[in-house]
Short mmCIF file of all heavy atoms in Angstrom, two decimals:
data_model
loop_
_atom_site.label_atom_id
_atom_site.label_comp_id
_atom_site.label_asym_id
_atom_site.label_seq_id
_atom_site.Cartn_x
_atom_site.Cartn_y
_atom_site.Cartn_z
N THR T 172 101.72 80.08 125.74
CA THR T 172 101.71 80.43 127.18
C THR T 172 100.52 79.77 127.75
O THR T 172 99.49 79.39 127.09
CB THR T 172 101.62 81.90 127.46
OG1 THR T 172 100.35 82.35 127.49
CG2 THR T 172 102.49 82.70 126.43
N GLU T 173 100.53 79.72 129.10
CA GLU T 173 99.31 79.15 129.81
C GLU T 173 98.20 80.23 129.76
O GLU T 173 97.06 79.94 130.26
CB GLU T 173 99.68 78.78 131.26
CG GLU T 173 99.92 79.97 132.18
CD GLU T 173 101.42 80.35 132.29
OE1 GLU T 173 102.01 80.44 131.21
OE2 GLU T 173 101.97 80.52 133.39
N PHE T 174 98.53 81.39 129.29
CA PHE T 174 97.45 82.50 129.30
C PHE T 174 96.90 82.69 127.97
O PHE T 174 97.42 82.12 126.87
CB PHE T 174 98.16 83.76 129.82
CG PHE T 174 98.73 83.69 131.18
CD1 PHE T 174 100.06 83.74 131.35
CD2 PHE T 174 97.92 83.55 132.26
CE1 PHE T 174 100.61 83.59 132.60
CE2 PHE T 174 98.44 83.37 133.59
CZ PHE T 174 99.77 83.48 133.77
N LEU T 175 95.98 83.59 127.78
CA LEU T 175 95.37 83.88 126.53
C LEU T 175 95.43 85.32 126.15
O LEU T 175 95.26 85.70 124.92
CB LEU T 175 93.86 83.42 126.57
CG LEU T 175 93.22 83.11 125.16
CD1 LEU T 175 93.94 82.03 124.45
CD2 LEU T 175 91.81 82.66 125.34
N PHE T 176 95.57 86.21 127.11
CA PHE T 176 95.50 87.64 126.74
C PHE T 176 96.81 88.42 127.01
O PHE T 176 97.56 88.05 127.89
CB PHE T 176 94.40 88.27 127.62
CG PHE T 176 93.05 87.74 127.42
CD1 PHE T 176 92.47 86.85 128.30
CD2 PHE T 176 92.36 87.93 126.22
CE1 PHE T 176 91.21 86.27 128.05
CE2 PHE T 176 91.09 87.42 125.98
CZ PHE T 176 90.54 86.62 126.93
N ASN T 177 96.95 89.57 126.36
CA ASN T 177 98.19 90.25 126.35
C ASN T 177 98.53 90.90 127.66
O ASN T 177 99.76 91.04 128.00
CB ASN T 177 98.08 91.43 125.33
CG ASN T 177 97.10 92.49 125.57
OD1 ASN T 177 95.99 92.17 125.81
ND2 ASN T 177 97.49 93.74 125.44
N ASP T 178 97.53 91.18 128.57
CA ASP T 178 97.82 91.74 129.86
C ASP T 178 98.28 90.75 130.83
O ASP T 178 98.57 91.08 131.97
CB ASP T 178 96.60 92.53 130.36
CG ASP T 178 95.33 91.65 130.30
OD1 ASP T 178 94.88 91.41 129.16
OD2 ASP T 178 94.82 91.27 131.31
N GLU T 179 98.25 89.45 130.55
CA GLU T 179 98.60 88.37 131.47
C GLU T 179 99.99 87.88 131.32
O GLU T 179 100.48 87.18 132.14
CB GLU T 179 97.70 87.14 131.21
CG GLU T 179 96.14 87.51 131.47
CD GLU T 179 95.29 86.31 131.16
OE1 GLU T 179 95.31 85.83 130.00
OE2 GLU T 179 94.52 85.89 132.00
N VAL T 180 100.69 88.27 130.21
CA VAL T 180 101.97 87.65 129.91
C VAL T 180 103.13 88.59 130.14
O VAL T 180 102.92 89.75 130.25
CB VAL T 180 102.04 87.12 128.45
CG1 VAL T 180 100.99 86.08 128.25
CG2 VAL T 180 101.85 88.22 127.47
N ASP T 181 104.39 88.09 130.13
CA ASP T 181 105.60 88.85 130.23
C ASP T 181 105.62 89.80 128.94
O ASP T 181 105.69 89.38 127.87
CB ASP T 181 106.80 87.89 130.26
CG ASP T 181 108.07 88.66 130.39
OD1 ASP T 181 108.39 89.44 129.51
OD2 ASP T 181 108.80 88.42 131.36
N GLN T 182 105.70 91.12 129.26
CA GLN T 182 105.55 92.11 128.19
C GLN T 182 106.77 92.07 127.25
O GLN T 182 106.66 92.29 126.05
CB GLN T 182 105.33 93.45 128.73
CG GLN T 182 104.04 93.67 129.47
CD GLN T 182 102.72 93.29 128.63
OE1 GLN T 182 102.47 94.00 127.69
NE2 GLN T 182 102.04 92.24 128.89
N ALA T 183 107.97 91.76 127.82
CA ALA T 183 109.20 91.81 127.01
C ALA T 183 109.16 90.64 126.08
O ALA T 183 109.47 90.64 124.84
CB ALA T 183 110.48 91.79 127.86
N GLU T 184 108.72 89.46 126.64
CA GLU T 184 108.64 88.26 125.79
C GLU T 184 107.62 88.49 124.65
O GLU T 184 107.82 88.11 123.51
CB GLU T 184 108.09 87.04 126.62
CG GLU T 184 109.14 86.34 127.37
CD GLU T 184 108.58 85.08 128.02
OE1 GLU T 184 107.44 84.73 127.84
OE2 GLU T 184 109.43 84.47 128.77
N LEU T 185 106.41 89.09 124.98
CA LEU T 185 105.41 89.31 123.97
C LEU T 185 105.89 90.26 122.89
O LEU T 185 105.73 89.95 121.67
CB LEU T 185 104.16 89.97 124.73
CG LEU T 185 103.07 90.44 123.77
CD1 LEU T 185 102.55 89.37 122.91
CD2 LEU T 185 101.88 91.07 124.62
N TYR T 186 106.59 91.33 123.28
CA TYR T 186 107.14 92.21 122.29
C TYR T 186 108.14 91.61 121.40
O TYR T 186 108.08 91.75 120.17
CB TYR T 186 107.82 93.49 122.97
CG TYR T 186 108.35 94.50 121.96
CD1 TYR T 186 107.60 95.42 121.44
CD2 TYR T 186 109.67 94.42 121.61
CE1 TYR T 186 108.09 96.34 120.47
CE2 TYR T 186 110.28 95.27 120.65
CZ TYR T 186 109.46 96.23 120.09
OH TYR T 186 109.98 97.05 119.17
#
Side-chain angles (χ1 to χ4, degrees):
T172 84
E173 71 270 45
F174 302 111
L175 200 58
F176 297 107
N177 65 313
D178 49 293
E179 299 175 304
V180 298
D181 182 297
Q182 297 301 294
E184 279 187 4
L185 172 58
Y186 179 83

